[in-house]
Amino acid sequence: MTTATTDRPPNDEVSLAPLSFWAKSPEDREADFAVLRRERPISWHPPAEGSMMPPEDGAGFWAVTRHADIVAVSKDPGTFCSGEGIQMEDVPVAILESASSFLATDAPRHTQLRRLVSAAFTPKRVRTIEAQIRDQARRLVDELLETESGDFVAQVSRRLPQWTIFEMMGLEDQETRELATAAADGMVSWGDEDVRQGREPAELLWESLLGLMRIALEHAEDRRAHPADDLMTNLVQAEVDGERLNDDEIAAFFVLLSVAGNDTTRNTISSTVRQFTLHPDQRDLLAADLDGRIGPAVDEFVRWATPVMTFRRTATRDVELHGRRIRQGDWVVLFYASGNRDPEVFADPMRFDITRDPNPHVGFGGGGPHYCLGNQLAKTQLRALFGELLTRAPGLEAGEPTYLAGNFMQAITSMPYTLRRP
């Protein structure tokens, strides 16, 4: 983290650093983002509160809030690298390397890791995963229809992505799945006092990371000895130009998949169900032509939810953005939640519109080498689940969601639902 100088002006009117900012509703945060996009699209802020490592005196970060700038920074990894960290807080190096997989690497290693992981997703594996997802979505809605009310996150949103991930990895033991899910939750909620329950942030994060890595390493060892028809077997066998993933890399990818592949889809599902309750005309519009409209609708689900709100880059050289001099080593944080409400790109951005086209949202990143590798997996899950919900549970209504306080994941922790019967 770098220290402020005279060319990094203080930002007294709107600050993105306090925990109180991230405890606001998404709508209230958007009002502040709008000020920054309009008046100070590149702004300097003090260190994010709640960091697990004490910041240096005068340290801080640059906030990038306009869509065009988010895309420009994302597509220039030579100037804005990922290898020095991706979160708004300083994280111990050991945790960064083990928890972020290729997210926190740069070329050429990033390119090599991504190719190796991609090689595990063979056409046969993708077809198997898609069939699994369709079956999972159907069975979850079967169970939902047996209820009248409950917590939609616990009943559906939380279960589909974890079920998908662990089934595709071949993780069959239910107790192990529950341990992995709890650890994945801890990886993104260490800043929430209710979740920590008196523990230090680093303690919870480290416990969660070690738990996921242990599960991954044991599973990888078992699949080397006993290959099966699953993704973990593909990962331990994947080879590109004579190179294979080592144990640390496989464990890091399992951590990434368990966290990123779980929370992103979970929160997009919850957010969309809430929007369909608030805007039944959009629900009915999609239901009237599901096959014809589901493509653009899924992109609007992701734009509206923006489950990953921020990602950090680090400047590798002195550079200028909107008249701001960014120095080598400065932290540059991309605020996807702001970019996805930029009126310069999205007409009437605060309107949930399943027919929005084009929809160049940055919900999967702003492009460039770190564009989300799992975007097609997430879209498959959303298409399958909402195909089931709209045709079989049209009377589903969601109440007010409860959000996790944090600056990384826009996470809905609970949301009541009721089922109106025909």
Side-chain angles (χ1 to χ4, degrees):
M1 187 177 293
T2 50
T3 55
T5 63
T6 54
D7 58 342
R8 299 172 188 153
N11 186 6
D12 298 328
E13 184 176 344
V14 175
S15 180
L16 306 181
L19 290 174
S20 58
F21 175 83
W22 298 102
K24 294 180 179 181
S25 70
E27 293 77 16
D28 288 341
R29 288 198 299 266
E30 166 52 26
D32 289 334
F33 284 138
V35 172
L36 293 179
R37 286 194 304 266
R38 183 175 60 251
E39 300 177 8
R40 294 179 298 283
I42 309 293
S43 55
W44 178 258
H45 299 262
E49 290 182 1
S51 177
M52 66 182 67
M53 295 176 65
E56 302 173 11
D57 291 340
F61 62 89
W62 293 102
V64 181
T65 53
R66 285 184 182 173
H67 184 281
D69 295 324
I70 291 171
V71 171
V73 170
S74 300
K75 292 183 176 181
D76 188 4
T79 303
F80 303 100
C81 74
S82 301
E84 295 188 30
I86 57 175
Q87 293 184 304
M88 287 175 63
E89 299 91 355
D90 242 339
V91 175
V93 173
I95 293 179
L96 175 66
E97 293 176 349
S98 301
S100 303
S101 187
F102 47 75
L103 286 185
T105 59
D106 299 303
R109 189 55 185 157
H110 172 267
T111 306
Q112 295 167 336
L113 286 173
R114 192 164 174 129
R115 288 177 64 198
L116 280 164
V117 169
S118 297
F121 286 88
T122 63
K124 178 185 176 184
R125 176 63 43 218
V126 171
R127 288 194 297 271
T128 299
I129 292 169
E130 290 176 346
Q132 289 172 343
I133 290 171
R134 289 192 296 270
D135 178 63
Q136 292 157 4
R138 177 184 56 78
R139 292 164 66 182
L140 284 174
V141 175
D142 284 345
E143 294 181 20
L144 181 71
L145 291 173
E146 295 176 0
T147 69
E148 294 183 356
S149 62
D151 178 0
F152 190 80
V153 175
Q155 181 76 13
V156 179
S157 305
R158 186 175 188 264
R159 295 174 62 197
L160 178 61
Q162 66 176 247
W163 192 353
T164 298
I165 291 164
F166 299 144
E167 188 165 325
M168 65 191 260
M169 293 295 288
L171 201 63
E172 298 172 354
D173 181 69
Q174 186 58 37
E175 182 179 354
T176 304
R177 289 186 177 193
E178 291 298 327
L179 290 172
T181 300
D185 288 344
M187 291 290 295
V188 298
S189 55
W190 53 264
D192 189 288
E193 293 182 0
D194 292 335
V195 176
R196 290 206 312 267
Q197 297 182 338
R199 289 173 290 182
E200 291 297 320
E203 181 183 0
L204 174 59
L205 184 57
W206 189 244
E207 287 178 2
S208 302
L209 175 60
L210 290 179
L212 283 172
M213 292 184 67
R214 177 186 58 78
I215 292 169
L217 292 171
E218 290 177 355
H219 192 39
E221 182 179 1
D222 179 70
R223 285 301 184 254
R224 286 195 180 97
H226 308 99
D229 186 19
D230 56 42
L231 181 60
M232 180 58 86
T233 299
N234 286 30
L235 286 170
V236 299
Q237 295 177 348
E239 184 174 325
V240 174
D241 297 333
E243 184 178 10
R244 290 192 174 189
L245 293 164
N246 62 39
D247 279 351
D248 289 343
E249 291 163 347
I250 289 173
F253 178 69
F254 180 80
V255 172
L256 173 63
L257 187 63
S258 298
V259 176
N262 185 2
D263 284 272
T264 51
T265 307
R266 175 202 303 191
N267 294 303
T268 302
I269 291 168
S270 298
S271 168
T272 302
V273 169
R274 176 60 176 165
Q275 290 307 306
F276 279 151
T277 300
L278 297 175
H279 307 286
D281 60 312
Q282 294 294 301
R283 179 195 61 207
D284 296 344
L285 185 64
L286 179 55
D289 184 10
L290 187 62
D291 291 339
R293 295 181 176 133
I294 191 63
V298 164
D299 277 315
E300 182 68 349
F301 299 170
V302 176
R303 182 193 77 90
W304 187 268
T306 315
V308 177
M309 297 186 290
T310 62
F311 255 108
R312 171 166 70 87
R313 301 289 184 256
T314 302
T316 62
R317 61 180 179 86
D318 291 357
V319 66
E320 191 170 295
L321 280 176
H322 286 291
R324 299 299 192 194
R325 184 185 178 193
I326 297 174
R327 295 189 172 187
Q328 180 179 349
D330 280 2
W331 286 12
V332 178
V333 179
L334 310 177
F335 285 82
Y336 301 132
S338 175
N340 277 342
R341 300 293 189 273
D342 190 339
E344 294 295 319
V345 177
F346 304 99
D348 196 2
M350 295 306 291
R351 177 169 54 90
F352 179 71
D353 179 6
I354 62 110
T355 66
R356 188 181 297 276
D357 186 25
N359 191 346
H361 65 81
V362 290
F364 292 123
H370 287 277
Y371 189 75
C372 177
L373 181 64
N375 74 91
Q376 292 302 319
L377 177 65
K379 289 181 176 182
T380 298
Q381 290 174 307
L382 294 169
R383 286 194 299 266
L385 181 61
F386 281 97
E388 294 286 334
L389 288 174
L390 291 172
T391 55
R392 300 175 59 206
L396 175 65
E397 294 185 349
E400 192 71 30
T402 299
Y403 288 93
L404 178 76
N407 59 34
F408 180 57
M409 195 72 67
Q410 188 150 274
I412 296 175
T413 58
S414 64
M415 185 173 69
Y417 76 87
T418 55
L419 272 176
R420 290 185 295 102
R421 303 298 177 180

